[in-house]
Amino acid sequence: MTIEEIQQGFIKGAIDVSPLLKDPIGTSHSCDIAEILDERAGEPVRGKITFTNTGQGILVQCRLTAELELTCSRCLDTFLYPMQCSIEEEFFSTDDDAGDLTTSQPEDFTGFTLNDNRLLDLGELICQYILLNLPMKLLCKPDCTGIRR
């Protein structure tokens, strides 16, 4: 998977969390990330994901590994970059009819929210964490000499 595919939303993963929201606070559900993601993205992205009802929304915790095809910023060759990252993010409910789950968010709140159908978009979350965990300088190896003539 390339950075361009990640930025274009190649990773798709929506999960219905309405049954979990009806369970008692603290209830959690775990699954393999390959069960949720688009089948094309499932190969290079691996990990186990846990969803927990917090009473205000759903806490998502995951440790994922991915193998990305990157371009070296010195020699411009492509190389495979194995990466790992930990995800811990809470998706809040914003519905007025959500009862106890409604949280009072400021107007400029930019965090993750559940949509009206109680679907949680993991694709956007995973894309952001992958992009944030990339090194500043993409090098195929630490001692890359650059473009060869």
Side-chain angles (χ1 to χ4, degrees):
M1 177 171 24
T2 65
I3 292 176
E4 291 78 21
E5 290 172 331
I6 292 170
Q7 291 172 327
Q8 293 172 2
F10 181 70
I11 296 177
K12 303 280 187 217
I15 185 165
D16 181 9
V17 293
S18 54
L20 185 58
L21 289 170
K22 294 175 185 172
D23 289 342
I25 295 173
T27 303
S28 63
H29 170 72
S30 296
C31 64
D32 190 79
I33 204 159
E35 298 173 22
I36 300 167
L37 296 180
D38 183 293
E39 61 187 43
R40 296 176 297 163
E43 181 66 28
V45 180
R46 294 171 299 284
K48 188 171 182 111
I49 192 158
T50 302
F51 305 96
T52 305
N53 180 348
T54 64
Q56 295 181 330
I58 300 294
L59 176 66
V60 176
Q61 296 172 303
C62 178
R63 176 115 175 116
L64 67 86
T65 59
E67 194 167 85
L68 306 174
E69 184 180 319
L70 303 175
T71 302
C72 179
S73 56
R74 285 188 190 158
C75 67
L76 304 179
D77 287 342
T78 58
F79 65 100
L80 291 178
Y81 178 75
M83 68 168 299
Q84 295 182 0
C85 67
S86 295
I87 296 174
E88 187 167 322
E89 200 74 47
E90 187 167 6
F91 283 72
F92 293 97
S93 178
T94 57
D95 294 4
D96 289 336
D97 63 345
D100 295 341
L101 294 174
T102 303
T103 58
S104 55
Q105 303 295 342
E107 285 185 28
D108 59 347
F109 177 73
T110 57
F112 291 100
T113 58
L114 299 173
N115 71 13
D116 294 339
N117 298 325
R118 302 283 199 242
L119 291 176
L120 190 138
D121 181 11
L122 287 176
E124 179 65 24
L125 175 71
I126 292 170
C127 289
Q128 286 188 22
Y129 271 82
I130 286 175
L131 293 173
L132 284 171
N133 282 285
L134 288 175
M136 293 289 283
K137 192 129 181 113
L138 304 174
L139 299 176
C140 58
K141 55 188 175 195
D143 60 345
C144 178
T145 58
I147 298 175
R148 297 175 198 101
R149 295 182 194 224

